[in-house]
Amino acid sequence: MTYQKLWKLSNLVFVCILLSTLSVQAQKKYYNQNENKKLKELQVEEDAYHFYVIGDWGRNGHFKQTKVADIMQQAGFILEPELIISVGDNFYPDGIASVSDPFMKSSFEEVYYGSNLFCPWYVILGNHDYRGNVQAQIDYTNISQRWKMPARYYEVEKTLEDDKTTAKFIFLDTNPFEDDYYQEKKYAQVKAQDSLKQKKWLEKTLKNSSADWNIVIGHHPLYTSGKRVNDEPYVRYHLEEIFEKYKVHTYFAGHEHDIQHLKPEGVYTHHFISGAGSEVRPTGVSDFTKFSKSEQGFLIVSLLPNKMLIQAVNWRGEVTYKYELLK
């Protein structure tokens, strides 16, 4: 190849890279304020501690993932989140390979780039994450300023705006509690986990908690009215007795690709599913269903000393559900 041809080829490559970069930049939107009038329907609790809950999202922006991220950013101008909780299935279909996997950029960094989304993201593992390099998602904590997954399960305590009331967030790895996973090759990593050790840790953590709010987060729901309504509720068998014994106020999960609020009669804990971060599928209604919606979106939670307000917001910015849990 002559020098002249090589020079033309290098210029062509440069132009292609430049056009690709400009194309990506053109897809991004930048905000100085909220631009969605529908979000004015959000209930604003003064002096509340706000956080988002979202799950089942990592699809390179597809299935309205970017549109949900857009609304999360805009809602942040009204209710600025102190933190964001991911209830798992962070990367489809098979997790990530390493901390430098391109999915970290294409499914996370370049989707949730809004200024209001640069708060801490407390992350747990879903079943699809278990199909990849789990340790890589943990190790990304040391690379990213906002990605927080110090271990497969962990706890975080926060103080509310009154500087007195506390909330304990307990993050679980529920994959080892899915008994049928031990028979599936794609979930072989669960065999290396000590589910009994995690249960003892959970019970000790709740027993020793002096927090005003005890909030547990896991990927798999204990109750559902969605696709898995007839599946064996393995996680419930493992965890519900502990939740009830120590009066867990709320349990946030994903796994079902929808948004649900479930409160069985005689059960203390309110169960919420927020698995509509990208692809959704049909959901349903059971005797214990207070709300179910098959539509992309997320939850906004506002904590006060004596009240927890949960609001479901869809990808259009419409508030589709509100619930006040009084303490």
Side-chain angles (χ1 to χ4, degrees):
M1 183 179 292
T2 65
Y3 175 80
Q4 188 175 25
K5 288 183 177 179
L6 185 63
W7 183 82
K8 287 182 178 180
L9 180 61
S10 63
N11 275 338
L12 179 61
V13 170
F14 174 76
V15 170
C16 289
I17 293 173
L18 179 61
L19 289 174
S20 176
T21 302
L22 291 174
S23 176
V24 170
Q25 292 296 322
Q27 293 174 18
K28 288 187 175 182
K29 296 172 69 175
Y30 296 92
Y31 303 93
N32 294 313
Q33 60 185 4
N34 170 44
E35 298 176 357
N36 192 309
K37 294 180 180 179
K38 295 174 183 177
L39 284 169
K40 292 181 180 179
E41 298 301 315
L42 278 171
Q43 182 174 328
V44 179
E45 293 289 342
E46 297 297 332
D47 301 321
Y49 186 95
H50 309 294
F51 62 92
Y52 294 168
V53 182
I54 185 171
D56 304 81
W57 42 266
R59 295 184 184 274
N60 286 321
H62 299 297
F63 299 101
K64 297 187 174 67
Q65 184 191 356
T66 53
K67 293 183 182 298
V68 174
D70 175 49
I71 295 300
M72 292 168 68
Q73 160 68 4
Q74 293 190 59
F77 288 109
I78 302 171
L79 298 173
E80 183 178 356
E82 299 288 342
L83 58 91
I84 296 171
I85 291 172
S86 170
V87 295
D89 276 2
N90 309 311
F91 303 99
Y92 287 95
D94 298 317
I96 58 171
S98 69
V99 293
S100 58
D101 194 308
F103 278 8
M104 290 303 309
K105 287 187 176 180
S106 61
S107 281
F108 178 65
E109 301 288 2
E110 292 178 354
V111 175
Y112 305 103
Y113 63 88
S115 57
N116 293 319
L117 308 183
F118 269 82
C119 56
W121 282 62
Y122 291 97
V123 185
I124 61 169
L125 299 163
N127 55 299
H128 283 270
D129 302 307
Y130 251 75
R131 300 181 190 182
N133 186 340
V134 169
Q135 190 59 44
Q137 292 201 39
I138 296 172
D139 291 344
Y140 199 69
T141 302
N142 301 319
I143 295 175
S144 170
Q145 180 70 20
R146 57 178 174 161
W147 183 275
K148 309 291 183 184
M149 192 197 298
R152 291 175 188 253
Y153 54 92
Y154 58 98
E155 62 173 303
V156 175
E157 186 161 306
K158 299 293 183 180
T159 302
L160 274 55
E161 297 299 311
D162 64 354
D163 292 326
K164 295 185 296 184
T165 307
T166 55
K168 184 176 286 292
F169 298 87
I170 301 171
F171 297 87
L172 301 179
D173 177 5
T174 56
N175 292 281
F177 300 131
E178 282 292 304
D179 296 351
D180 56 345
Y181 283 5
Y182 291 85
Q183 310 303 320
E184 298 187 46
K185 186 177 180 180
K186 59 187 175 183
Y187 300 129
Q189 293 188 66
V190 298
K191 295 179 181 179
Q193 304 310 306
D194 189 338
S195 59
L196 181 58
K197 180 181 179 180
Q198 184 179 177
K199 284 175 68 174
K200 289 180 176 178
W201 171 85
L202 170 63
E203 182 154 17
K204 182 180 179 181
T205 302
L206 287 168
K207 182 179 180 180
N208 295 337
S209 175
S210 59
D212 300 285
W213 291 100
N214 286 311
I215 300 167
V216 180
I217 298 97
H219 179 65
H220 299 85
L222 273 65
Y223 293 91
T224 179
S225 301
K227 175 186 176 182
R228 296 179 171 89
V229 65
N230 295 317
D231 289 1
E232 199 72 26
Y234 293 114
V235 176
R236 189 197 308 170
Y237 299 152
H238 284 282
L239 300 179
E240 184 166 62
E241 184 177 350
I242 300 174
F243 287 6
E244 293 298 294
K245 181 178 179 179
Y246 295 101
K247 299 288 191 289
V248 169
H249 297 101
T250 53
Y251 176 66
F252 290 99
H255 199 43
E256 295 282 50
H257 296 181
D258 53 33
I259 293 180
Q260 299 181 49
H261 177 196
L262 310 149
K263 180 61 170 65
E265 186 177 354
V267 172
Y268 182 85
T269 304
H270 284 258
H271 294 261
F272 292 90
I273 296 175
S274 183
S278 57
E279 183 187 38
V280 295
R281 54 182 171 233
T283 188
V285 175
S286 303
D287 293 341
F288 46 74
T289 304
K290 298 183 77 69
F291 174 79
S292 66
K293 188 80 170 179
S294 177
E295 189 174 36
Q296 286 89 345
F298 64 105
L299 296 178
I300 301 178
V301 184
S302 302
L303 271 181
L304 289 161
N306 61 350
K307 181 173 72 173
M308 180 187 300
L309 170 66
I310 299 98
Q311 301 182 83
V313 182
N314 69 14
W315 64 276
R316 298 184 184 88
E318 298 164 341
V319 180
T320 57
Y321 182 64
K322 295 183 184 181
Y323 185 82
E324 291 188 353
L325 195 165
L326 301 179
K327 197 163 177 293

